[in-house]
Amino acid sequence: MKQLSEFLIPFIGLKLGKHQFEYKISKAFFEDFDFDEFEDSDVKVNVVLEKKSTFMELTFKHKGTVNVPCDLTGEYFDLPIKGKINVVVQFGEQFNNDNEELLILPHGEHQIDIKQYVYEMIVLSVPLKKVHPGVKDGTLKTPVLDKLNELSQKDQNQSTQEEIDPRWDKLKKLLTDK
C-alpha cells in the first residue's frame, strides 16, 4: 500500500485550534487497499484536526454512496452511507495504534497519515446485509425476478389443480345445499 501525500497531514506548522480538510473518495482509493467489494464510490470525507498544546483530536465524518450488489438479487445499486469517528493523537516513545480511538505517535513526528482511518470508517459503515431499495418496496424489475414470479405462479397453479380430489366436490355441495 503506497502512501498518498493528500492523506498526509503535516501538523508541525499548524497553529493551535481547529483545521478542516476535505476529501472526495472514489473507487481508485479502495484499489490501493485491494478492496473490490464496491463497484464505484462517491463519498465526501470531512476531517477536523483540533491541535492542542500536548495532543490533537481528529474528527472524521463521511457521507455519500457506494455502488454494491444486492445480496438478494445481485443487482448493483447506490447504497447511501454515513458515519463518524473520533481519534485522539498523543505523543509517546513509539508508534502505537492498537486502540481504535487513540493513536500514539513517536516524539519528533511531524505528520500523520489518515488514509487507514478513512478506509476503515467507510468500509465499516456499509451494512452486512445490502438490500436493493426496489426489493423492499416492490418496484425492482429484473429478468431474474420476472422469471421467479412466473415459475412460482406456475407451481401454485399446478399444486392447486393436483390437490383437489373430485370426491370432495360432492361433499362441498352438501354444505351449500342447506
Side-chain angles (χ1 to χ4, degrees):
M1 179 174 59
K2 60 184 178 182
Q3 271 191 341
L4 292 178
S5 61
E6 68 178 301
F7 293 99
L8 291 175
I9 299 177
F11 56 82
I12 199 74
L14 298 177
K15 295 180 182 179
L16 296 180
K18 292 185 177 185
H19 306 279
Q20 191 165 353
F21 304 91
E22 290 189 10
Y23 302 96
K24 187 167 173 75
I25 307 298
S26 65
K27 182 174 171 64
F29 174 81
F30 295 103
E31 289 172 354
D32 290 340
F33 289 94
D34 292 330
F35 186 79
D36 58 357
E37 289 188 26
F38 300 156
E39 189 65 25
D40 195 16
S41 66
D42 181 24
V43 181
K44 290 183 182 177
V45 176
N46 185 5
V47 180
V48 176
L49 182 138
E50 186 173 357
K51 186 174 180 185
K52 299 184 178 181
S53 58
T54 58
F55 67 97
M56 296 180 290
E57 290 182 50
L58 288 167
T59 303
F60 297 86
K61 291 181 184 177
H62 75 283
K63 187 174 185 178
T65 60
V66 290
N67 192 278
V68 293
C70 174
D71 290 336
L72 299 176
T73 64
E75 295 290 317
Y76 281 88
F77 70 103
D78 287 334
L79 177 71
I81 59 168
K82 65 180 181 177
K84 176 182 177 182
I85 61 170
N86 295 315
V87 178
V88 174
V89 181
Q90 292 183 336
F91 296 95
E93 294 297 318
Q94 61 186 1
F95 179 84
N96 186 348
N97 64 352
D98 292 342
N99 188 337
E100 61 193 37
E101 296 177 355
L102 177 66
L103 172 65
I104 299 176
L105 293 177
H107 293 291
E109 191 71 36
H110 65 281
Q111 63 186 6
I112 183 171
D113 187 5
I114 62 167
K115 186 176 182 180
Q116 184 70 31
Y117 289 102
V118 171
Y119 167 75
E120 288 176 4
M121 176 181 62
I122 293 172
V123 170
L124 292 175
S125 68
V126 175
L128 291 176
K129 188 170 184 177
K130 302 169 283 287
V131 180
H132 194 289
V135 171
K136 292 178 183 175
D137 60 16
T139 60
L140 181 65
K141 301 292 182 205
T142 65
V144 174
L145 287 177
D146 293 340
K147 188 66 174 174
L148 281 173
N149 287 335
E150 179 185 316
L151 291 174
S152 67
Q153 289 172 356
K154 282 183 181 177
D155 288 344
Q156 288 175 354
N157 290 341
Q158 288 176 354
S159 65
T160 57
Q161 290 174 358
E162 291 171 7
E163 288 177 17
I164 298 176
D165 189 352
R167 293 177 285 183
W168 292 106
D169 288 338
K170 301 245 182 204
L171 289 174
K172 286 182 186 174
K173 277 186 177 179
L174 290 175
L175 290 175
T176 56
D177 285 343
K178 290 181 183 179

